[in-house]
Amino acid sequence: MAAPSEVNGDPIHCPAKVPAMAYPLSEESAEVAANIKYHSQYSPHFSPFKFEPEQAYYATAESVRDSLIKRWNDTYLCFHKVDPKQTYYLSMEYLQGRMLTNAIGNLNILDVYADALHKLGSDLENIAEQEKDAALGNGGLGRLASCFLDSMATLNLPAWGYGLRYRYGLFRQRITREGQEEVAEDWLEKFSPWEIVRHDVVFPIRFFGHVEICKDGSRKWVGGEVLRALAYDVPIPGYKTKNTISLRLWEAKAGSEDFNLFQFNEGRHESSLHLHSKAQQICAVLYPGDSIESGKLLRLKQQFFLSSASLQDIIYRFKERRAGNESICWNEFPMKVAVQLNDTHPTLAIPELMRILMDDEGLGWDEAWDITTKTIAYTNHTVLPEALEKWPQDVMRKLLPRHMEIIEEIDKRFMAFIHSSWPDLGSGLERMRILDSSNPHKPVLRMANLCVVSSHTVNGVAELHSEILKSELFADYVSIWPNKFQNKTNGVTPRRWIRFCNPRLSDIVTKWLKTDEWITNLDLLSGLRQFADNKDLQAEWASAKMANKNRLAHFVLQVTGVSIDPSSLFDIQVKRIHEYKRQLLNILGAVFRYKKLKEMSSEERQTATPRTIMIGGKAFATYTNAKRIVRLVNDVGAIVNNDPEVNKYLKVVFIPNYNVSVAEILIPGSELSQHISTAGMEASGTSNMKFALNGCLIIGTLDGANVEIREEIGVENFFLFGAKAEDVAKLRREREDGLFKPDPRFEEAKQFIRSGAFGTYDYGPLVDSLEGNSGYGRGDYFLVGHDFPSYVDAQARVDEAYKDRRRWLKMSILSTAGCGKFSSDRTISQYAKEIWNIDHCTVP
Ligand SMILES: *Cc1c(COP(=O)(O)O)cnc(C)c1O
């Protein structure tokens, strides 16, 4: 970095021509430059004598925020005046990624800002990289919430997101010789320029305490400890529209009266800050470990904190918009409010709404129940039994005594309803209950069941997943509520996931379609089909891909020190590390490929398709097998990449710290991506959509949204392998009966790992988990052994297809052309019409 310098009395290290002036809403590059300079000098975050990338980033972000605030205010006032029905999206996770490029891109002033920064001697891309990812989520579910916000804003829908303002988001992953190491990610270390604190938006949140019965028989929850929820708004601008909606994140606070000055002066420093430290714990981290009781309690507190603060805010707004009315007509509530639960994490919104309506507003049970069930809808994201939330009844009763009463009453009334209307339901009855006391020592609450019973609509996130919900997980309910269940296949926002992350390809698409309207009407991509064979398009397509691969290769060298060949096939699998996602199948395939390459003569090798296999993703800190997989990928890479005989034909690289920003570099440079979960286990997947949209071919199973992607882009453009969902149960039974006959290639690959070829770490326990018949480990529950031979065959088809450049390019173009359906704009339009019943409300 250059040393700070004084230029003609101008203390800032950038051209003196630009005066520091506040032009908050200008779209003129000279004025934008002046506004950026204004922030660098008058926003008191740094000393004013430097304009190095970090200061430049904050000053630039603040100049963008000026226009976002204006738009946010206009949007709020417009919604307030029109008072349309509004959707509130409740999610424990948002995986927002960086904001700067996305915000100025959506405001359609990318060029203006690039120009303005140029005038200041800076570079937009370089400055954008200074931003820390807001990683307030884990993976697909959180990223979906963020894509949905972008689409809701772009479609001018009256909708808001609610979440928690975690101090530390998802951990940063460091890779050492021992594998993954977790480091706290302090995204607020300095501050976030994108959030606006609302000191006037504060709600009390109670925990513990007890229920008092009043003279009139009504009930009140009193006592316990009371914290405060303070609102922070992150403005979410729509693309090429004035509408700018809100992601409202709650922070937990204790009040100043909760600080016991007397105790503090007495020297009892810790107890004087008791509630302050409790408040800090609530928003400290996303997913605190919950293997111990105190961790469980903390997670439940987080869930209630989000649910209660959001509902109090929603109700406050509902009443505010009716201020001056004689009395509030609560039946209007479901005509003004739709609440969407992103999985079961915010389920406590259900008893909390019931509690407020009955205990605070004085409604009777039936009226409150009618309003609640007409307001709430639930999205299911998983059928994995271990991921279905179950809370111990005693923990719930202690933390939220009134809510426990309400849940028990919901369960009781539901039972009575079933008994009277469906007396012959038999054993289904126990399975459908919310209270599960089958283990008398540890009775639990089934949160998914509470959601199904209390919501007007339940949806899955891809066609196959929604079918499985109806035929398996929620089959019992389908007979009594056949119309409650819907499908809403996920989507991704085309703004972040192609337009901004892949400007080269976007420009080509715009040129050939002769319009950029595809960015908001993704179905127009199908217009590329007619040019799939066109030599000129193919040449442009290939050159964009090569430029993106070069950039990716440079990135890989930077973060891993491994040099990869941009002319090799770039084969990528990035997602959370989980046994059901089967990174182990990928690495086993890589090991097999390595072994075969070693066995070839050097002439034979020259006919092989050179490949670079990249695998990335975070493993949950306490998930042992997932962490072993991370280590194995690194160990295999260390041997393969340093083997001079084969490393021209194969490299294996672990990409550290996978997050949204890393995805934005990987996806444009990918040629093949792996979505290879055991059929029936991946609800949808969304990175499959991001990759296909960017012209990357997919090798995958018939699982989640793969099924629909394959239909849309054409079965001949998809490398399919593996068991079908409907066969999985039978295959698992056969294996238990000892009938599984492993393919010799599978045995060979496992044996190679067991032989110690990849270092001294004992991979025995990991490989044991793949043994086909019971007796070892988990008995290959995820069917890696069954699918291995067809996977290897599919990879051989990939190698062949890649040798035919024109065929590959055609398939790549057809992938992009077939992705129209996978825009989150389409998904959100369907939610708006078919679940929320809301209409657009466009800011004039
Ligand atoms: C899209 C995305 C995911 C979801 O990936 P899947 O392969 O669908 O599980 C996870 N993490 C990040 C950072 C993403 O961008």
Side-chain angles (χ1 to χ4, degrees), residues 190-462:
K190 299 214 168 69
F191 67 104
S192 165
W194 304 112
E195 50 176 24
I196 305 157
V197 59
R198 307 293 189 194
H199 288 292
D200 53 336
V201 182
V202 182
F203 295 99
I205 311 288
R206 188 185 304 277
F207 295 112
F208 305 108
H210 62 277
V211 179
E212 257 176 29
I213 302 168
C214 310
K215 283 203 194 80
D216 60 356
S218 66
R219 304 173 91 85
K220 282 263 175 297
W221 179 29
V222 296
E225 62 189 42
V226 180
L227 299 175
R228 299 173 185 189
L230 170 64
Y232 283 74
D233 284 326
V234 179
I236 307 289
Y239 178 73
K240 290 192 183 175
T241 170
K242 206 165 170 192
N243 280 51
T244 297
I245 60 171
S246 195
L247 168 55
R248 181 158 277 188
L249 300 175
W250 299 107
E251 177 172 87
K253 286 277 210 207
S256 58
E257 71 279 8
D258 296 322
F259 172 57
N260 192 323
L261 191 61
F262 179 75
Q263 279 187 2
F264 192 84
N265 286 333
E266 294 266 279
R268 287 182 284 162
H269 298 152
E270 273 178 17
S271 73
S272 69
L273 287 161
H274 183 64
L275 264 189
H276 285 267
S277 103
K278 290 210 156 166
Q280 272 172 15
Q281 287 168 17
I282 288 188
C283 290
V285 290
L286 168 75
Y287 292 134
D290 69 346
S291 50
I292 51 170
E293 205 58 27
S294 62
K296 278 204 176 56
L297 189 68
L298 184 55
R299 262 204 215 186
L300 194 59
K301 276 182 156 182
Q302 291 183 323
Q303 298 189 348
F304 180 66
F305 195 83
L306 167 65
S307 306
S308 175
S310 307
L311 270 170
Q312 291 186 65
D313 196 33
I314 292 166
I315 285 171
Y316 177 87
R317 191 166 306 112
F318 175 75
K319 288 167 119 175
E320 188 188 32
R321 288 180 187 171
R322 262 143 212 81
N325 291 10
E326 259 322 80
S327 64
I328 302 286
C329 173
W330 286 99
N331 289 333
E332 255 190 273
F333 191 77
M335 295 186 263
K336 294 295 176 186
V337 175
V339 171
Q340 188 70 34
L341 307 180
N342 194 24
D343 214 314
T344 54
H345 316 139
T347 301
L348 290 167
I350 295 164
E352 176 68 348
L353 180 54
M354 289 293 289
R355 184 192 67 81
I356 295 173
L357 292 174
M358 293 190 300
D359 300 358
D360 295 350
E361 303 297 341
L363 272 54
W365 179 279
D366 291 333
E367 209 183 341
W369 180 246
D370 186 56
I371 292 166
T372 300
T373 53
K374 283 179 173 157
T375 301
I376 307 249
Y378 155 61
T379 305
N380 172 281
H381 284 272
T382 182
V383 295
L384 301 190
E386 69 268 26
L388 290 172
E389 287 195 293
K390 293 192 173 71
W391 289 107
Q393 292 180 22
D394 54 348
V395 173
M396 185 73 77
R397 192 169 287 112
K398 191 169 115 197
L399 185 69
L400 302 166
R402 178 63 180 132
H403 299 78
M404 187 62 198
E405 279 186 356
I406 291 171
I407 294 169
E408 284 172 324
E409 186 67 20
I410 295 174
D411 181 70
K412 194 176 109 193
R413 288 175 184 244
F414 174 63
M415 285 297 103
F417 162 71
I418 298 291
H419 277 303
S420 66
S421 318
W422 311 83
D424 42 45
L425 222 56
S427 67
L429 199 72
E430 270 309 309
R431 288 196 299 264
M432 289 160 87
R433 287 192 61 174
I434 298 159
L435 304 187
D436 172 9
S437 305
S438 54
N439 177 353
H441 303 293
K442 201 166 178 269
V444 294
L445 295 172
R446 299 177 180 124
M447 303 311 266
N449 290 13
L450 178 52
C451 284
V452 174
V453 170
S454 316
S455 299
H456 57 84
T457 305
V458 175
N459 75 285
V461 291

Side-chain angles (χ1 to χ4, degrees), residues 13-192:
H13 176 61
C14 62
K17 286 197 289 288
V18 179
M21 300 276 274
Y23 293 106
L25 300 175
S26 175
E27 294 183 5
E28 205 37 67
S29 71
E31 291 178 354
V32 167
N35 198 41
I36 293 172
K37 193 154 166 185
Y38 170 84
H39 280 288
S40 80
Q41 294 193 336
Y42 295 101
S43 301
H45 305 299
F46 296 96
S47 55
F49 304 115
K50 290 184 197 164
F51 198 68
E52 283 169 12
E54 190 182 26
Q55 289 95 319
Y57 158 67
Y58 281 102
T60 306
E62 286 177 321
S63 79
V64 178
R65 189 180 62 194
D66 287 347
S67 23
L68 293 182
I69 288 179
K70 167 82 173 116
R71 285 157 191 263
W72 191 99
N73 292 345
D74 291 348
T75 307
Y76 191 91
L77 286 175
C78 174
F79 291 175
H80 190 76
K81 208 168 96 200
V82 177
D83 190 22
K85 182 172 183 183
Q86 190 165 334
T87 292
Y88 298 95
Y89 196 80
L90 268 58
S91 178
M92 287 290 281
E93 299 188 28
Y94 291 88
L95 212 51
Q96 288 284 95
R98 289 179 179 144
M99 274 279 286
L100 181 61
T101 306
N102 192 74
I104 55 187
N106 275 8
L107 299 178
N108 205 23
I109 45 176
L110 269 169
D111 294 344
V112 177
Y113 264 79
D115 218 29
L117 284 163
H118 193 69
K119 285 189 167 62
L120 295 167
S122 290
D123 166 66
L124 177 57
E125 207 174 316
N126 181 14
I127 278 176
E129 280 174 18
Q130 299 296 313
E131 182 171 355
K132 292 197 179 199
D133 270 45
L136 310 183
N138 266 300
L141 175 149
R143 185 52 232 175
L144 183 77
S146 295
C147 282
F148 280 4
L149 292 178
D150 185 80
S151 286
M152 293 190 286
T154 299
L155 294 169
N156 299 316
L157 292 173
W160 278 26
Y162 281 113
L164 289 185
R165 183 176 180 268
Y166 303 105
R167 178 74 174 77
Y168 300 97
L170 188 58
F171 65 86
R172 187 154 53 83
Q173 179 190 51
R174 259 216 303 257
I175 299 298
T176 70
R177 281 178 180 208
E178 276 76 49
Q180 168 178 304
E181 195 179 283
E182 303 89 29
V183 186
E185 180 76 285
D186 193 356
W187 73 293
L188 293 170
E189 183 194 347
K190 299 214 168 69
F191 67 104
S192 165

